[in-house]
């Protein structure tokens, strides 16, 4: 269990190294699909790519037309809202478990080859 920290001896090239290193991607693994900011819009976008959800949305919109109204407007929305909520919670939990696994992998101790 020895840990080794490698710090390059940059000397007078330190400022140049810091400028150049910002241009490149880091080496972290990220398999999550969502962030806190884009979870709701991206999840809804993905869910409405399913034909069944679009069909139920169409029925809800159609029920708002007074001539075609079969049920109360609010009741027809409940099944779709329930399905969207359950799937969003499931996707959120799966993405959170991916985040925890990524964090665990990114914090592993690695060996550095040295001649």
């Amino acid at each position: 269990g020895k840990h080794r920290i490698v710090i390059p001896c940059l000397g007078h090239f330190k400022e140049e190294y810091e400028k150049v290193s910002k241009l490149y991607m880091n080496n972290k693994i990220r398999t999550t699909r969502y962030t806190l900011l884009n979870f709701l819009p991206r999840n809804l976008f993905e869910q409405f790519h399913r034909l069944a959800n679009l069909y139920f949305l169409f029925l809800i919109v159609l029920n708002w037309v007074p001539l075609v109204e079969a049920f109360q407007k609010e009741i027809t929305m409940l099944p779709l809202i329930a399905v969207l909520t359950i799937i969003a919670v499931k996707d959120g939990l799966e993405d959170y478990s991916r985040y925890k696994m990524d964090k665990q992998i990114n914090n592993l101790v690695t060996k550095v080859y040295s001649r």
Side-chain angles (χ1 to χ4, degrees):
K2 292 183 180 178
H3 296 285
R4 180 172 173 215
I5 299 174
V6 178
I7 300 173
C9 182
L10 299 172
H12 61 280
F13 295 112
K14 185 176 181 179
E15 291 177 13
E16 184 178 345
Y17 170 76
E18 289 175 355
K19 287 180 189 176
V20 172
S21 65
K22 291 179 185 177
L23 300 175
Y24 296 104
M25 295 288 292
N26 60 14
N27 203 20
K28 291 186 177 183
I29 294 172
R30 182 175 181 264
T31 59
T32 57
R33 290 189 288 181
Y34 307 111
T35 63
L36 288 176
L37 295 176
N38 73 1
F39 176 74
L40 190 62
R42 189 167 182 181
N43 187 270
L44 288 174
F45 178 76
E46 289 176 5
Q47 286 193 43
F48 282 114
H49 270 86
R50 296 184 181 132
L51 193 59
N53 290 344
L54 281 176
Y55 173 73
F56 285 111
L57 182 66
F58 173 72
L59 288 179
I60 290 170
V61 171
L62 193 62
N63 200 37
W64 281 81
V65 176
L67 295 174
V68 188
E69 182 179 349
F71 304 108
Q72 291 180 352
K73 298 172 186 171
E74 295 80 16
I75 292 176
T76 56
M77 291 188 284
L78 290 178
L80 182 63
I81 290 173
V83 168
L84 293 178
T85 304
I86 291 169
I87 294 174
V89 168
K90 177 192 70 84
D91 288 345
L93 291 174
E94 286 177 357
D95 208 53
Y96 182 69
S97 66
R98 279 193 214 112
Y99 167 76
K100 288 192 323 187
M101 186 63 70
D102 291 346
K103 191 173 180 181
Q104 183 181 16
I105 289 172
N106 288 329
N107 291 327
L108 286 175
V109 177
T110 59
K111 294 183 180 181
V112 177
Y113 175 72
S114 175
R115 293 184 195 193

